[in-house]
Every structure is written in structure tokens, then in C-alpha cells.
Amino acid sequence: MFSYESIAQYHTALNNNSTSCKSEVEFYLKQIQLKQHLNAFIDVFADTAREQAQKLDDAIAAGQPLLPLHGVITGIKDVLCYKGHPVSAASQILENFTAPYSATVIQKLIDAGAIVIGRLNCDEFAMGSSNENSVYGPTLNDLDNSRVPGGSSGGSAVAVQAGLCMVSLGSDTGGSVRQPADFCGIFGLKPSYGRVSRYGLIAYASSFDQVGIFAKNIADTALVLEIIAGADEFDSTASVKPVPAYSTALQTNTAFQKFAYFKDAVEHPSLDPEIKTGLLAYFDRLRKEGHTVTGVDFPYLDYIVPTYYILTTAEASSNLSRFDGVRYGHRSKREISDLAEFYAHNRSEGFGREVKRRIMLGSFVLSAGYYDAYFTKAQQVRRQLFDQTQLIFKDFDAILSPTAPGTAFRFGEKSNDPIEMYLGDIYTVFANLVGIPAISLPIFWHSNGMPYGLQVMTNRFEEVSLLQVSTLLMQFKN
Ligand code: GLN
């Protein structure tokens, strides 16, 4: 019987008729049913998935060559629009909303032969690190159901972790692909800002948001990136830089690499001591193999979380002002006497606690008396970080870091303390602040039975070297 390992192996099986798109769709629909308790899927698009599978099987029967993602069963985070299907950002404010068009990434996936099997649970408007902020309730980590899957793309991570789809898409504004990948023991890639179109992605913080990929291996990650990347007339921030053939550029780079890590990151008091030891031992191993791994000073570490939360909440307060219950979404049934009250009721009822907190924080940092002290200052810090990062990449090929300060925590452990939750983003928000690509590689296991990842970052638009270096680094997995 066919058992999925990679897109390449699946395509071999399709070509020699040992499986079909239809039987794979049925298999995954059954798995989703069997693992319903994980609450990874909000909606299963069984009918459209079956229709697509039939067409894709007919094409094989007619002797047509396979499309690049032929029959690849894909899950999508509930922030990506898929025409004619519901999308809600896991929020009550978008109840009963159906996407009127498809996101560019979704259209590209479908054109490449992928089958979108359903939409996946996440934190409301992608705000969170544990998937506990969803109106549909939390997604459970399949390795330990008492632990969070990470967030905000928790459903996307668990769907791949638990074998409910072959690959999935998430979004990453400050770590929402890498941190859940780390917590679930899979691969999670955030591309460079501008590498992938954001058209049809429900915005959280537009100058940070990128669509990201969850997969079981690097080759699948590279192939999906190759399909979804590129310029888009509907998103002026999507770069016109040509898209390299990521999937065929994976041969291991045999050159010795120059890796940097931030001393302050590894020494940080919030880092789990066992993760620290694991990382340092791994760095030694790399050195023995002939690579250089150098600790560099990076005195900005404690500023990056505040900078991230000032800028993203400011952008969110503006982005989310469109959800007012007038044209679509939740509309309060309470009596109203004027327009302001109408908006207030709709938004008070429609948004959850965390989203409200961020809208208020964002409005505050943008308000007349505080704009310069917070927003302008944070923009300046962002620029500084960018300049410092460019200096680092003059001397080094890649930066290595933990993905998260600890392994997957238990439900409720941090949900009453937003500051503690925010501080967990210390290692991931950096890549979004400076717009560089970053991946979490499932390399380590903790003695508590949970996995944790190594985060790798390269300079902007250097996804090819990121993927090559990742292939190299995976060879030293214990
Ligand atoms: N955990 C971060 C936050 O809550 C990251 C979210 C994201 O990347 N969408 O903002």
C-alpha cells in the first residue's frame, strides 16, 4: 500500500499506477475523520477535492504528463481566500463569509495540480503563539494532546504532523510558521518579505506578513515555494525578481559554511537550558565537520519583541478597521441609536480578547501624543536592525538560532499572561522585522519527549542557499 513520504515518491507511485489522486483524497478524508479530536480542520472541502482528483486522474489516464503538484493534498490556513469557500481568520467577525476570489497562492497551487482539502484552524487573525485564540477552540499537538501545537498556524502544522495532508500553507508575521513547525517536529519556511504574493491573504501586519510552507522534508518545501513565489500584479510588494528553480537547486553545497549565531540569543535567560546545550553541542559537531560557527554580539535582542509588537499592532489596528459589520461579517442584534454604537457592538461581539488587545495597543502607539515616542522610534529600530543584519551577512553565509525558547507548552500555561506569550517570539520576529527568509528544521528531541528545531536564516532573497544549507544541516541530525 502507498504511504506518503514526499511529492517525488508520490509522483512515481501515480506514474506506475500504484495509487491515484482519488484514492489519496479518500485516504486523507478518512485520516481527517479519524483525527477529528485534534481540531486541525475547520472545514473539509470534500466535494471540490473529489472533483479535482477525478480531473487529475483523467489527465493521467489520457497520457498527459504530471503537473508539478499533481494531486498533492494540501491544507490551507483559514486566512487564505479560496473562491467559493468560507474563510474566517478563525474569528466570529467573519462568520458566514465566503471568499469572492482566490488568493494568488491558492490559484497557483491549483494551476499546478494541487488539491485543496480544507481550511485549517489558527489563532484569530493570526495573532497568537498557541492556537488558543481561535473561535473554533484550540488545535491539539498530535504528539501530546495536553500541549499546544504552537501558533498562529497551529492547524497547518498539526495537519502535516498528523498526516492529514501532504503539505500545508500558513502565514508568518512573527514566527507563525516556524514556531508551530518547531513544536510539531516538521519543516516550516517563511520566505523573504516580497517573495510570495499576499493577495488574498487576510492581513495582520502588512509589512511583515508572508505566506509560509509546512512540509515533511526540504524537497517538498522547495517545490511548493517554487510554485507559489513570484511577482503579482495584485500585490505591488511581491518582488519581480525571477523565481529560481528551488526544487532542482537542492544538491548539497559541499563548501564549508560560515555560520553565525547571536551570543545573546544562546545566553538568553529565557532559553530552556537543555535546548541551549543541544544547540551548542550541535555547533561543535558542525565545527568538527569543518564549518565555522561563530558567536557574534547582537545587543539588540531585548528590543526586538517590543519593536515587533509596536509595529505589528499599529498595522493591525489599521488593517482590522475594515471589519465593521457593514458590508460583511458579524452584525450585532442589539438595539442601536447611532452609527458609532452600531460599529462598537459589531466589533465588541465579533473580535476576541487578543485581537481587541492588539487593536487598542496599536491605536495607542499611533495616537497623536505617543506616535513619535513609540511608532517612529520602532521604525528607527527596525532600520537599525536591518543595517546590522546586512553587516552580519557580509561575513557569514547563514545565522543559526533556536526557533523558540522552549518546547511546546501545555494549554493554559501562558494564556493568562500576554507578556510571557509575546516573549516566546524572541527568536522568530527578527526575520520578519528585517524581511529575511527563515526556516525551522526538525533536528532535536528534548528529554520531555517533545521535538525542537534549529532556525536558519540567510540574507534577503537567498532562499536557494537557505534550502541548500538546510539540506546540509539535516545531515547532522542525531
Ligand atoms: N506569535 C506572534 C504573534 O502573536 C506571531 C504571529 C504570526 O506570525 N502571525 O504576533
Side-chain angles (χ1 to χ4, degrees), residues 31-360:
Q31 294 306 112
I32 293 169
Q33 184 101 47
L34 287 172
K35 297 224 166 172
Q36 248 176 0
H37 65 283
L38 297 176
N39 200 23
F41 278 84
I42 295 170
D43 244 329
V44 181
F45 305 147
D47 292 345
T48 37
R50 286 186 172 120
E51 271 165 39
Q52 276 174 293
Q54 183 65 56
K55 279 192 203 142
L56 292 158
D57 283 338
D58 290 347
I60 297 176
Q64 288 171 23
L66 295 187
L67 295 162
L69 296 178
H70 207 102
V72 174
I73 313 285
T74 308
I76 60 172
K77 184 176 180 180
D78 188 32
V79 288
L80 286 161
C81 294
Y82 179 19
K83 187 173 177 174
H85 295 79
V87 60
S88 77
S91 178
Q92 178 156 10
I93 204 134
L94 276 171
E95 65 181 358
N96 304 323
F97 180 70
T98 299
Y101 61 87
S102 285
T104 298
V105 289
I106 301 301
Q107 197 53 53
K108 285 184 167 190
L109 285 180
I110 291 170
D111 293 346
I115 297 172
V116 179
I117 193 124
R119 63 178 168 129
L120 295 160
N121 204 351
C122 57
D123 284 301
E124 186 178 5
F125 283 97
M127 297 175 186
S129 307
S130 63
N131 219 123
E132 288 166 294
N133 302 332
S134 166
V135 72
Y136 306 104
T139 298
L140 312 187
N141 193 315
D142 193 36
L143 278 167
D144 176 346
N145 291 174
S146 71
R147 292 182 191 266
V148 305
S152 64
S153 315
S156 302
V158 170
V160 170
Q161 175 198 39
L164 312 183
C165 59
M166 295 173 179
V167 295
S168 69
L169 292 187
S171 65
D172 190 313
T173 305
S176 279
V177 168
R178 290 158 286 153
Q179 182 255 25
D182 171 289
F183 283 13
C184 292
I186 59 171
F187 293 82
L189 170 75
K190 179 203 90 75
S192 303
Y193 183 78
R195 183 65 296 184
V196 175
S197 166
R198 294 180 293 108
Y199 179 70
L201 165 69
I202 296 176
Y204 158 18
S206 309
S207 77
F208 293 73
D209 298 342
Q210 270 294 288
V211 173
I213 300 159
F214 291 94
K216 289 227 140 137
N217 57 63
I218 296 171
D220 286 3
T221 310
L223 182 56
V224 174
L225 178 64
E226 187 174 317
I227 299 301
I228 64 173
D232 182 7
E233 61 172 316
F234 299 120
D235 175 7
S236 60
T237 66
S239 170
V240 296
K241 272 185 202 294
V243 178
Y246 298 116
S247 61
T248 51
L250 286 181
Q251 74 286 5
T252 306
N253 192 339
T254 47
F256 292 129
Q257 299 291 308
K258 284 195 271 175
F259 295 112
Y261 70 90
F262 299 148
K263 280 189 259 175
D264 303 76
V266 173
E267 297 303 331
H268 204 272
S270 70
L271 183 62
D272 178 318
E274 196 177 319
I275 297 187
K276 176 179 172 178
T277 320
L279 238 74
L280 291 177
Y282 180 84
F283 293 168
D284 276 342
R285 172 108 198 258
L286 291 176
R287 290 187 188 106
K288 285 204 188 84
E289 300 289 337
H291 305 284
T292 45
V293 186
T294 312
V296 297
D297 290 320
F298 191 74
Y300 308 93
L301 202 66
D302 284 330
Y303 299 107
I304 64 176
V305 168
T307 305
Y308 168 83
Y309 276 95
I310 288 170
L311 295 175
T312 54
T313 56
E315 293 188 24
S317 71
S318 159
N319 274 327
L320 270 59
S321 64
R322 74 190 67 168
F323 302 104
D324 55 14
V326 175
R327 280 154 298 181
Y328 49 80
H330 177 78
R331 187 174 281 199
S332 174
K333 297 198 170 53
R334 288 167 65 182
E335 292 242 328
I336 45 152
S337 52
D338 64 21
L339 189 60
E341 211 179 299
F342 172 68
Y343 288 150
H345 288 332
N346 295 345
R347 290 164 66 80
S348 304
E349 291 172 17
F351 287 131
R353 274 166 67 93
E354 183 59 28
V355 173
K356 284 181 194 162
R357 175 160 33 235
R358 295 197 191 194
I359 292 173
M360 288 191 275

Side-chain angles (χ1 to χ4, degrees), residues 330-406:
H330 177 78
R331 187 174 281 199
S332 174
K333 297 198 170 53
R334 288 167 65 182
E335 292 242 328
I336 45 152
S337 52
D338 64 21
L339 189 60
E341 211 179 299
F342 172 68
Y343 288 150
H345 288 332
N346 295 345
R347 290 164 66 80
S348 304
E349 291 172 17
F351 287 131
R353 274 166 67 93
E354 183 59 28
V355 173
K356 284 181 194 162
R357 175 160 33 235
R358 295 197 191 194
I359 292 173
M360 288 191 275
L361 194 57
S363 307
F364 172 72
V365 299
L366 288 174
S367 60
Y370 296 98
Y371 187 96
D372 284 336
Y374 292 108
F375 187 71
T376 308
K377 197 71 179 171
Q379 296 272 46
Q380 289 163 344
V381 175
R382 189 179 197 183
R383 180 75 220 182
Q384 278 277 328
L385 288 171
F386 183 81
D387 293 344
Q388 292 301 322
T389 307
Q390 290 314 306
L391 291 179
I392 294 170
F393 284 122
K394 272 193 174 160
D395 296 329
F396 296 97
D397 301 309
I399 301 172
L400 305 179
S401 124
T403 305

